[in-house]
Amino acid sequence: MPLLSNPEDVIGRRFDFIIAGGGTAGLVLANRLSENPDVSVIVLEAGNAHVDDPIILSPTGWVPQLFNSEYEWGLQSTPQPHSLDQRLFEFRSGKGLGGSSSINCLVYLKPHRADIDAFEKLGNPGWNWENYQKYSKKAESVHAPVPPVRQFRPTYNHDDVGHDGPLPVSFCPIASGVEYPLQKGLSELGIETISTGFGGETAGTYKALASLHPVKMTRTDSANAYLFPVIDRPNLQVLTGALVTKVVTSGDEATGLTADAVEFEHGGKFYQVLCAKDVILSAGAIKSPQILELSGIGDRSILEPLGIETKLDLPTIGTNTQDHFTCTGPAYELRDGNDIITEIEGPLPLVMSGYAFFPLHKAAANAQELIDKISAKINDEASPYSAGLREVYHVQLELLKDEDVPDVEIMVVPFSVIPMGPAGRAYVNVPPVLSRPFSRGTVHINSADPLAPPVIDPHIFEEDIDMEIITAGFKVSRAAAQFSPYKDIIAREVKPGPDVVTDDQIKEHIKSHVGTVWHMVGSCSMLPRDKGGVVDAKLKVYGTNNIRVVDLSILPILVSTHPQATVYAVAEQAGDIIKADHM
């Protein structure tokens, strides 16, 4: 049993580093910062420890974890006017040691190099593809690929990945049987299968890696990779069931706020631990801005009506949020006799591993017209964009214009947690995912009660270009089904069905079936302060002397692939930044 702390072990004690959140990034930092025996580190995690939890260890455990309050926060958005019937959207965010690395679908993908180089272009020195690869390789231990499964080949270049990091990563040893036929269908549309998607070039189709132990066939997460092997370090304390409620500060805006302590709730009572060096918020893109606002750091117009004293007026906190939007469909009933695996449980774990990424130019004949339209809107001085957001948009436009950089994704979902049709039949869902939305959302508190959930407004499809891009991706996914051998395994389309044909009908279907992939970023963006930034390139909150944020909330622009690998790379780089400042 790992040596977890009790409240009486830590109350009132002074620690060099206080990490709020024992999720993916927080536990990487706990490991790296406590490597120095002369510093003390404490992790405060609101959820439970989940040590040796069979649900977490199971690669298919994310299904019983869905909307289970033991493992996730169970948060909802505000009604979204650009969806059908102003729907509310569920937001999954991991709760417990390991955070979202313990509840995700195990997908381990690296972004396009241009995604990461965009961070440096926006004024963040050192946040570029070269450093990304350095720190990604430091985190991962990629194991040799399994043999091809039904002609679906797991390929990569040896030098593109790390081989001796703490996190075991491997290819799933089985496949549904849909992935290769889809690849052949997409190749007819000019979207080719590539030999590696892990070296900074991601346009094409390929088999994804997974956070899957290659021998045990169990999930690997930040808890079992980074924390549990070092939990017996005498300078490391980990307290679970400890909800951080605020950072206690002294000073003012003129001198900069200094974090003196962190308040947390445990067992219905409130306690404090004292800070000697840094407080690091690693609570995720929803909870980290909430903690800042509860601490009096944020938009004065939001805080003061709630009775919270404004210690630091930083109105950009909780803004600039982005997420990957997706929908249900195209989805198909499959023919009998093709030995397609669509049951998630089996002798070996079936993990989603079939992905395609491609630029708008491959998906839409009117791509340039769409780009010109959004460019004109962004450049129009009458448009309701701040100068900072306009500058971020210009960098995002460069990505959209680049015909080698993906803007949309297709993923193979060979199982369904919602009915697709009559029971006893095999189905596959092959939806598009909007890689880099232009719509920007917000996350803010609406209560001074730290136990109250924040208000999440993703502003889904507020920018028309987002609907145009995902519609183009939907049509590509559907068009691939016209070609053998993909069409030969399909019996019929069940979502949305053959009656949905026109662009307007497709858009209505997307509006009524839209959701997110729970990859929110941006709420504490790493940008120059005058561009809408919350943290600088050293991840320090503007106007503070020793409060940092290290999690996905710092990404100023969403990366075009699933971000698990990116969280690990960000946390590894942050560890070196903090060490350089203090050690």
Side-chain angles (χ1 to χ4, degrees):
M1 176 70 179
L3 302 175
L4 299 174
S5 304
N6 295 308
E8 54 269 23
D9 297 331
V10 303
I11 295 167
R13 282 184 54 187
R14 188 175 302 277
F15 293 87
D16 291 310
F17 298 104
I18 303 173
I19 301 172
T24 313
L27 296 187
V28 173
L29 289 172
N31 179 307
R32 296 308 187 190
L33 295 178
S34 65
E35 287 174 335
N36 182 345
D38 295 328
V39 303
S40 55
V41 179
I42 184 170
V43 177
L44 300 173
E45 166 53 41
N48 292 323
H50 300 146
V51 178
D52 294 329
D53 186 325
I55 292 178
I56 286 178
L57 292 174
S58 169
T60 58
W62 60 269
V63 178
Q65 288 172 329
L66 279 170
F67 315 123
N68 182 333
S69 62
E70 174 63 27
Y71 300 99
E72 59 173 272
W73 285 99
L75 301 168
Q76 279 190 330
S77 75
T78 58
Q80 294 299 289
H82 297 281
S83 66
L84 195 66
D85 300 325
Q86 299 207 18
R87 289 176 55 201
L88 283 70
F89 291 88
E90 306 288 342
F91 277 84
R92 300 193 74 202
S93 180
K95 184 171 69 172
L97 292 179
S100 293
S101 71
S102 300
I103 69 166
N104 63 25
C105 295
L106 286 76
V107 180
Y108 193 90
L109 291 163
K110 297 190 183 187
H112 196 282
R113 66 175 65 245
D115 288 334
I116 304 302
D117 285 338
F119 302 167
E120 191 164 60
K121 288 181 179 180
L122 285 166
N124 298 299
W127 291 90
N128 51 46
W129 174 253
E130 182 180 358
N131 276 336
Y132 179 97
Q133 273 291 63
K134 170 185 172 181
Y135 287 108
S136 179
K137 291 178 182 181
K138 184 178 180 181
E140 66 208 14
S141 179
V142 175
H143 292 255
V146 295
V149 181
R150 302 178 185 188
Q151 297 178 280
F152 185 40
R153 301 182 62 83
T155 60
Y156 69 98
N157 291 337
H158 185 273
D159 293 340
D160 289 346
V161 297
H163 301 280
D164 55 5
L167 183 74
V169 178
S170 65
F171 288 99
C172 181
I174 64 171
S176 70
V178 175
E179 296 84 359
Y180 175 74
L182 173 63
Q183 285 185 326
K184 300 303 287 183
L186 289 173
S187 71
E188 296 288 343
L189 302 173
I191 300 168
E192 301 296 341
T193 301
I194 58 177
S195 61
T196 179
F198 308 102
E201 302 296 332
T202 59
T205 74
Y206 56 99
K207 183 169 185 174
L209 284 160
S211 48
L212 181 69
H213 195 284
V215 177
K216 299 177 183 177
M217 289 291 115
T218 54
R219 173 194 294 275
T220 57
D221 62 11
S222 65
N224 55 49
Y226 277 88
L227 177 64
F228 295 156
V230 302
I231 192 99
D232 59 349
R233 288 176 179 167
N235 62 330
L236 174 61
Q237 299 283 337
V238 179
L239 181 63
T240 56
L243 174 71
V244 170
T245 55
K246 67 179 178 181
V247 181
V248 180
T249 59
S250 59
D252 54 32
E253 293 197 37
T255 61
L257 294 186
T258 296
D260 299 317
V262 169
E263 180 186 274
F264 64 93
E265 182 271 335
H266 189 283
K269 296 181 180 180
F270 292 83
Y271 306 99
Q272 288 188 2
V273 287
L274 307 180
C275 176
K277 292 182 177 175
D278 280 0
V279 168
I280 304 164
L281 304 184
S282 294
I286 297 173
K287 290 290 184 175
S288 285
Q290 180 184 22
I291 293 170
L292 287 170
E293 291 183 336
L294 290 168
S295 307
I297 302 172
D299 188 335
R300 187 186 303 276
S301 67
I302 291 173
L303 304 183
E304 294 190 351
L306 301 176
I308 297 173
E309 178 188 356
T310 303
K311 303 291 186 69
L312 175 62
D313 188 20
L314 193 57
T316 50
I317 287 174
T319 65
N320 196 42
T321 68
Q322 303 141 65
D323 207 333
H324 287 141
F325 304 153
T326 188
C327 66
T328 303
Y332 304 98
E333 179 183 320
L334 301 175
R335 296 183 187 275
D336 292 333
N338 289 291
D339 196 26
I340 303 295
I341 301 173
T342 58
E343 294 293 330
I344 192 169
E345 297 288 355
L348 291 172
L350 180 59
V351 175
M352 288 190 293
S353 59
Y355 290 87
F357 301 90
F358 47 93
L360 180 61
H361 293 81
K362 289 272 190 183
N366 65 335
Q368 192 58 52
E369 176 186 339
L370 296 174
I371 292 170
D372 291 343
K373 185 176 180 180
I374 186 64
S375 297
K377 183 177 181 182
I378 290 168
N379 290 319
D380 184 352
E381 292 299 326
S383 295
Y385 306 130
S386 66
L389 179 56
R390 203 182 302 273
E391 193 163 341
V392 173
Y393 274 157
H394 282 303
V395 173
Q396 190 168 338
L397 274 172
E398 290 180 24
L399 298 173
L400 186 63
K401 293 174 182 176
D402 191 327
E403 297 186 21
D404 295 321
V405 177
D407 305 301
V408 65
E409 164 194 342
I410 290 173
M411 57 183 177
V412 177
V413 186
F415 35 71
S416 178
V417 294
I418 58 173
M420 288 287 182
R425 307 296 298 169
Y427 302 92
V428 64
N429 186 23
V430 195
V433 180
L434 178 62
S435 298
R436 206 178 296 103
F438 280 84
S439 300
R440 293 298 196 266
T442 58
V443 177
H444 291 299
I445 60 173
N446 69 345
S447 170
D449 180 1
L451 303 181
V455 176
I456 305 169
D457 186 355
H459 291 236
I460 287 179
F461 296 139
E462 187 169 83
E463 295 293 342
D464 293 341
I465 186 71
D466 292 344
M467 176 59 80
E468 297 294 342
I469 294 172
I470 197 171
T471 299
F474 184 99
K475 292 164 70 175
V476 167
S477 181
R478 183 184 250 182
Q482 300 173 17
F483 303 102
S484 295
Y486 189 29
K487 73 173 184 179
D488 302 328
I489 65 173
I490 294 172
R492 64 188 180 99
E493 181 180 297
V494 293
K495 296 284 185 181
D499 293 336
V500 174
V501 178
T502 68
D503 281 10
D504 286 344
Q505 289 173 324
I506 293 171
K507 289 173 183 177
E508 284 303 303
H509 169 79
I510 292 171
K511 286 181 182 179
S512 63
H513 292 82
V514 65
T516 87
V517 194
W518 306 304
H519 295 161
M520 186 187 289
V521 307
S523 54
C524 297
S525 286
M526 178 177 60
L527 288 165
R529 191 169 184 175
D530 61 357
K531 294 180 185 177
V534 174
V535 301
D536 62 19
K538 291 189 174 183
L539 309 179
K540 192 175 291 184
V541 176
Y542 287 111
T544 76
N545 298 314
N546 63 338
I547 303 175
R548 302 187 201 243
V549 182
V550 182
D551 54 34
L552 272 183
S553 71
I554 70 156
L555 269 60
I557 297 179
L558 183 57
V559 296
S560 56
T561 56
H562 297 231
Q564 178 175 204
T566 297
V567 185
Y568 283 107
V570 165
E572 286 281 12
Q573 184 164 351
D576 275 1
I577 289 170
I578 296 168
K579 285 180 178 180
D581 276 1
H582 287 292
M583 301 180 189

